[in-house]
Amino acid sequence: MLTVDFSRFPLAPGDRVLDLGCGAGRHAFECYRRGARVVALDQNGEEIREVAKWFAAMKEAGEAPAGATATAMEGDALALPFPDESFDVVIISEVMEHIPDDKGVLAEMVRVLKPGGRIAVTVPRYGPEKVCWALSDAYHEVEGGHIRIYKADELLARMREAGLRPYGTHHAHALHSPYWWLKCAFGVDNDKALPVRAYHKLLVWDIMKKPLATRVAEQALNPLIGKSFVAYATKPHLPRAEAEADAT
């Protein structure tokens, strides 16, 4: 289940991609399939080991084209172990709401992104997330949980302050908002509640079968209750006068 829409976020074979806070690796896998040179980075060593196994399995199964590469590694988002301007593309999906120093993370992403490079940021959307927080303290008051809720304008302003130039936004995963509202209402750790189990079956069916009816319904509902807010931006090239000043 992808949150980044690659029709709005073009990826060319050979692009060097950083999936920052990759989690289970869903975006990293898609980039690998598209022929990119992917680095999937996360602070969770257990998840990184699983992602590495999946990369190996994809290579063995021939799922990635010739020239594509994939590396999974542990790392700190606030101290990325890469040189300046080393990636064409950076993706950070459902991560920034967990990190106290989100400005520091943005600064690191901009540092490692090449001028003219592209970045995709996804976070939980303000409205649906506020409902979850209202229904359940356990949803967010946990170690490593969500520490803030972004308004769209606030996130875009922070991206601009970091030196990025946003060029597009959208919402995603409307069908998942009611699932999380049910989880929060019945208990975030209570997977046995009948409404939660029934809705989860619906989501699994939707992900596996991709029926037209639910695709159309989600597209119609995304502007209203989309669970995620997605923003795309580029890192501008330095103006000529500024570049010359920096060189002297």
Side-chain angles (χ1 to χ4, degrees), residues 15-94:
D15 275 351
R16 190 152 193 248
V17 177
L18 172 63
D19 185 2
L20 181 56
C22 65
R26 57 200 173 106
H27 288 106
F29 300 149
E30 181 64 20
C31 293
Y32 189 32
R33 291 187 186 98
R34 289 171 178 262
R37 295 173 293 156
V38 183
V39 176
L41 184 143
D42 201 284
Q43 67 177 1
N44 187 317
E46 184 176 341
E47 287 196 312
I48 282 298
R49 286 186 286 275
E50 283 299 310
V51 170
K53 290 177 184 178
W54 279 104
F55 278 151
M58 290 172 67
K59 182 177 181 180
E60 185 175 348
E63 290 188 36
T69 62
T71 303
M73 61 185 295
E74 289 185 61
D76 182 354
L78 290 166
L80 296 174
F82 311 112
D84 295 354
E85 302 178 2
S86 50
F87 290 94
D88 303 290
V89 173
V90 177
I91 297 171
I92 184 165
S93 183
E94 311 299 303

Side-chain angles (χ1 to χ4, degrees), residues 34-227:
R34 289 171 178 262
R37 295 173 293 156
V38 183
V39 176
L41 184 143
D42 201 284
Q43 67 177 1
N44 187 317
E46 184 176 341
E47 287 196 312
I48 282 298
R49 286 186 286 275
E50 283 299 310
V51 170
K53 290 177 184 178
W54 279 104
F55 278 151
M58 290 172 67
K59 182 177 181 180
E60 185 175 348
E63 290 188 36
T69 62
T71 303
M73 61 185 295
E74 289 185 61
D76 182 354
L78 290 166
L80 296 174
F82 311 112
D84 295 354
E85 302 178 2
S86 50
F87 290 94
D88 303 290
V89 173
V90 177
I91 297 171
I92 184 165
S93 183
E94 311 299 303
V95 173
M96 287 180 56
E97 68 275 8
H98 296 273
I99 300 177
D101 186 7
D102 58 343
K103 291 184 179 181
V105 172
L106 277 169
E108 273 293 88
M109 290 190 290
V110 171
R111 180 184 68 79
V112 302
L113 186 64
K114 296 177 182 178
R118 302 172 304 286
I119 186 168
V121 180
T122 91
V123 296
R125 185 184 185 175
Y126 184 82
E129 186 77 347
K130 285 285 284 186
V131 174
C132 288
W133 283 44
L135 288 171
S136 171
D137 290 337
Y139 171 79
H140 62 97
E141 291 182 356
V142 295
E143 184 178 355
H146 298 184
I147 62 171
R148 71 174 64 84
I149 307 175
Y150 287 101
K151 292 183 178 179
D153 289 346
E154 177 188 7
L155 178 62
L156 292 172
R158 294 197 184 191
M159 292 171 70
R160 291 188 183 99
E161 289 169 5
L164 295 167
R165 185 177 295 161
Y167 69 83
T169 65
H170 65 89
H171 300 98
H173 308 319
L175 295 182
H176 288 251
S177 289
Y179 172 71
W180 282 102
W181 297 339
L182 288 170
K183 288 270 288 181
C184 290
F186 286 92
V188 291
D189 296 320
N190 180 12
D191 293 327
K192 295 183 179 180
L194 180 59
V196 175
R197 287 191 289 115
Y199 202 97
H200 184 262
K201 287 183 179 180
L202 170 66
L203 291 179
V204 172
W205 172 77
D206 175 58
I207 291 169
M208 298 300 294
K209 300 297 184 180
K210 296 181 175 62
L212 179 61
T214 55
R215 296 300 89 213
V216 171
E218 185 157 75
Q219 288 179 8
L221 290 171
N222 274 337
L224 301 173
I225 60 168
K227 183 72 170 66

